[in-house]
Amino acid sequence: MTARREIEVLVRGLCAARAAGDMDTLRQGYAGNATFRIAGSPAGGALTAPLTGHAEIMARFESNIASLPLGDFAIVDLLVEGNQAAVRWRATVRGVNSKDESTTEIAQFLEVENGKVVTLVEFLDTAHATQAAKTEELS
Amino acid sequence: MTDRSEIEAFVKKLYAARVNGDMDALSGAFAEHAKFQIAGSPEVSMLATLAEGHDGVMSLMQTIADSLAFEDFAMLDLVIDGNKAAVRWRATVHQVASGQTFTTELADFIVIEDGKVVSFIEFLDTALAG
């Protein structure tokens, strides 16, 4: 059982690492058997496809960080209970190719075991993410 | 209301009311100055919206109740921290106008004061919802 304060520090650190593109912190924060899923219809394709295992998750983070870097990151809400956390954060997304900038809000539900994330379910503006990805491809 | 069991009971009643379209129960659950937001970019998703004040929230709730029917509701996660609750839930949604049915997952961040909701922020699959 990870203490509440530890979970809070872990989650805050991982959100900040995601926004800053800090892959070392992200690698350390996820368990080997972690799962990551963006909540959404299977019609969302790769965006909503579930990922299993550290390597798959890190590959996704690297890809996201490379194509859609984040700025002006802020945690808006963080709830912790037992080994679960729910966090809501906001950031500015900037397309590397398109230079398009927009502010978006993300919600995450996490389960933590032995100081590492074992489950991450993320909610984002899937319509906006799909459009941003297409714009990047065309730019 | 800050006791965990009270918050849990309140949240479960709130979702029962929402799923059943029980407007009387919903009306009693939201504070006069409540806000209800569906997170997302209004430029891309027609559902992204913000309703403020009891009347505004109830108007949005009525629109949702009139246009969507929920079945097979399941609460997947409930995280309670002080007077806040985060809920991850799944339901089969029937669009009244189009007749379309789909199963989807949502997340809500709720703030409760004096036994009523003052803030309700919902995340949904905006690409699916249109």
Side-chain angles (χ1 to χ4, degrees), chain A residues 41 77 80-81 84 125-127, chain B residues 4 41 77 84 125-127:
Chain A
S41 163
D77 222 347
V80 178
E81 185 180 38
Q84 289 186 299
D125 185 351
T126 47
Chain B
R4 199 226 180 259
S41 167
D77 274 323
K84 295 180 180 180
D125 185 356
T126 50

Side-chain angles (χ1 to χ4, degrees), chain A residues 1-79:
Chain A
M1 179 87 176
T2 310
R4 180 205 158 88
R5 178 67 187 150
E6 281 178 67
I7 291 178
E8 190 176 334
V9 169
L10 175 71
V11 172
R12 285 185 184 279
L14 289 176
C15 290
R18 180 105 172 260
D22 176 357
M23 284 303 303
D24 286 342
T25 299
L26 289 169
R27 282 190 198 97
Q28 289 165 21
Y30 284 81
N33 62 344
T35 62
F36 171 38
R37 181 169 60 82
I38 292 176
S41 163
L47 179 70
T48 54
L51 304 175
T52 303
H54 195 270
E56 281 190 15
I57 296 168
M58 291 308 119
R60 169 64 68 83
F61 285 158
E62 280 180 349
S63 169
N64 288 353
I65 287 164
S67 58
L68 294 167
L70 305 174
D72 299 329
F73 159 80
I75 287 180
V76 183
D77 222 347
L78 173 58
L79 288 74

Side-chain angles (χ1 to χ4, degrees), chain B residues 4-23:
Chain B
R4 199 226 180 259
S5 60
E6 283 182 328
I7 298 262
E8 181 177 349
F10 175 82
V11 168
K12 287 185 173 172
K13 278 185 189 171
L14 178 66
Y15 279 82
R18 179 125 187 246
V19 169
N20 295 322
D22 181 346
M23 295 305 296

Side-chain angles (χ1 to χ4, degrees), chain B residues 37-99:
Chain B
Q37 181 183 4
I38 297 177
S41 167
E43 294 82 19
V44 183
S45 173
M46 66 178 187
L47 284 186
T49 190
L50 170 64
E52 292 182 289
H54 191 270
D55 290 350
V57 172
M58 284 308 107
S59 175
L60 179 58
M61 287 288 144
Q62 187 68 62
T63 300
I64 292 171
D66 290 344
S67 50
L68 303 173
F70 297 100
E71 294 171 4
D72 299 327
F73 166 82
M75 196 174 282
L76 305 173
D77 274 323
L78 172 58
V79 182
I80 295 174
D81 191 349
N83 68 330
K84 295 180 180 180
V87 181
R88 186 166 70 87
W89 57 288
R90 182 175 55 219
T92 298
V93 181
H94 176 75
Q95 282 183 330
V96 175
S98 69

